[in-house]
Amino acid sequence: MEPELKRLLGISSEERVAGGCIHDCYRVSIRGATRFLKCNSSAYGDAFAAEAEGLAALRAAGMRAPEPFAHGVAGGRAYLVLEPLDLKGRKDFAALGRMLAQAHRKPGPRFGWHRDNYIGATPQPNGWCDGWSEFWMERRVRPQLELAKRNGFAIDPPKTDLLENHRPAPSLLHGDLWSGNAGFTAEGPVLFDPAVYYGDREADLAMTELFGGFPREFYRAYEEAWPLGEGYRLRKHLYNLYHLLNHLNLFGGGYLAQVTATLRLLAPG
């Protein structure tokens, strides 16, 4: 770890730990308190600032999330200091479903967020929109298709009117809710690594079904707290297209078959 960063934060001890596929992560002691520290190149300074803000927003909405303490750039390295989590609690997915449904009920002003942030390492535009269909297609699908074209993948936009008459209330979303971004402490479920914005709650639920999914009790508890609307079973594919395109752009052609299959599911007729 860079000496300048250790001096700035007052780190007296450090231990390298897991916790980020693209970041260097440490359990550190800062002025007698144990903290979780994420570091990367200075280019990640804005991403860490967005993550800290997103975690604070999740906490304000009633979701359990690690408290962010500090972020910045020092010694050519970006850093984010967080509350450490002991993820050895009972895996109570029903409690996670109830927590998410309760937080989703808190409405936002419009669709979007007051700043852009990141979905993984990809910039995520969040300019405000009054209509959900406009937001999803212009702020989510279109930028990923344009990026895919620059990466050598010519993909036509989905020909669908699924969102034309779908008018959800804007809910605060985690935004990147797959199983790797949820865990359990002794106090209950906890979420981390968000990509927050105000959107259709179904987009969060849809992503939980990607990459392994969550257990059945999670969905049962969520729907008992707030049933999903008619049409979710088809709309979820349009929502997950965004994440599949992002993985195509981040990791390459191994995701092209899933993108193509999802577009077939969305084809009219």
Side-chain angles (χ1 to χ4, degrees):
M1 187 184 298
E2 290 72 11
E4 182 180 341
L5 182 58
K6 293 179 68 172
R7 286 195 300 272
L8 174 70
L9 297 177
I11 295 172
S12 58
S13 65
E14 65 194 74
E15 176 189 1
R16 187 75 177 262
V17 295
C21 60
I22 61 175
H23 304 305
D24 298 324
C25 298
Y26 302 87
R27 184 176 297 272
V28 298
S29 179
I30 298 177
R31 300 178 183 90
T34 300
R35 297 287 184 251
F36 181 74
L37 174 66
K38 299 169 74 167
C39 301
N40 211 315
S41 72
S42 59
Y44 282 83
D46 188 60
F48 283 158
E51 181 177 345
E53 187 177 278
L55 290 169
L58 294 183
R59 290 168 60 87
M63 300 190 214
R64 290 191 190 90
E67 181 178 358
F69 292 112
H71 62 84
V73 177
R77 299 281 283 172
Y79 65 88
L80 174 60
V81 181
L82 299 171
E83 171 191 359
L85 300 175
D86 184 5
L87 299 177
K88 297 177 183 176
R90 183 173 68 89
K91 294 183 178 181
D92 189 348
F93 280 94
L96 177 59
R98 290 189 293 270
M99 181 181 80
L100 187 66
Q102 183 178 8
H104 279 168
R105 282 191 177 276
K106 298 185 178 177
R110 288 188 290 164
F111 299 106
W113 191 241
H114 66 269
R115 60 159 291 162
D116 295 343
N117 50 26
Y118 300 82
I119 182 73
T122 307
Q124 177 170 266
N126 289 319
W128 294 107
C129 290
D130 291 321
W132 173 242
S133 178
E134 177 192 5
F135 179 86
W136 191 257
M137 299 309 293
E138 294 300 315
R139 305 287 190 265
R140 292 294 176 265
V141 176
R142 185 177 60 80
Q144 290 287 347
L145 289 173
E146 291 176 349
L147 182 56
K149 186 175 181 179
R150 294 196 295 272
N151 288 333
F153 302 103
I155 301 169
D156 292 329
K159 296 177 175 63
T160 178
D161 59 359
L162 278 176
L163 302 183
E164 187 173 311
N165 296 311
H166 180 56
R167 294 181 174 83
S171 298
L172 181 70
L173 305 188
H174 177 282
D176 194 9
L177 191 53
W178 68 291
S179 58
N181 287 341
F184 299 88
T185 70
E187 289 73 36
V190 62
L191 300 175
F192 35 87
D193 291 346
V196 302
Y197 62 98
Y198 289 110
D200 181 4
R201 65 193 178 105
E202 291 180 356
D204 260 357
L205 270 293
M207 194 185 184
T208 67
E209 298 190 41
L210 277 178
F211 312 129
F214 285 18
R216 195 171 301 171
E217 54 265 32
F218 166 82
Y219 302 101
R220 187 182 302 119
Y222 185 98
E223 292 221 55
E224 286 175 356
W226 193 3
L228 292 168
E230 183 179 353
Y232 165 74
R233 293 299 165 194
L234 191 53
R235 286 190 295 270
K236 70 179 182 180
H237 299 301
L238 181 56
Y239 296 152
N240 283 341
L241 176 64
Y242 171 61
H243 297 291
L244 292 170
L245 285 168
N246 187 48
H247 276 66
L248 176 71
N249 285 319
L250 287 172
F251 306 118
Y255 286 91
L256 184 58
Q258 281 181 274
V259 168
T260 303
T262 300
L263 286 168
R264 281 200 298 267
L265 289 170
L266 294 169

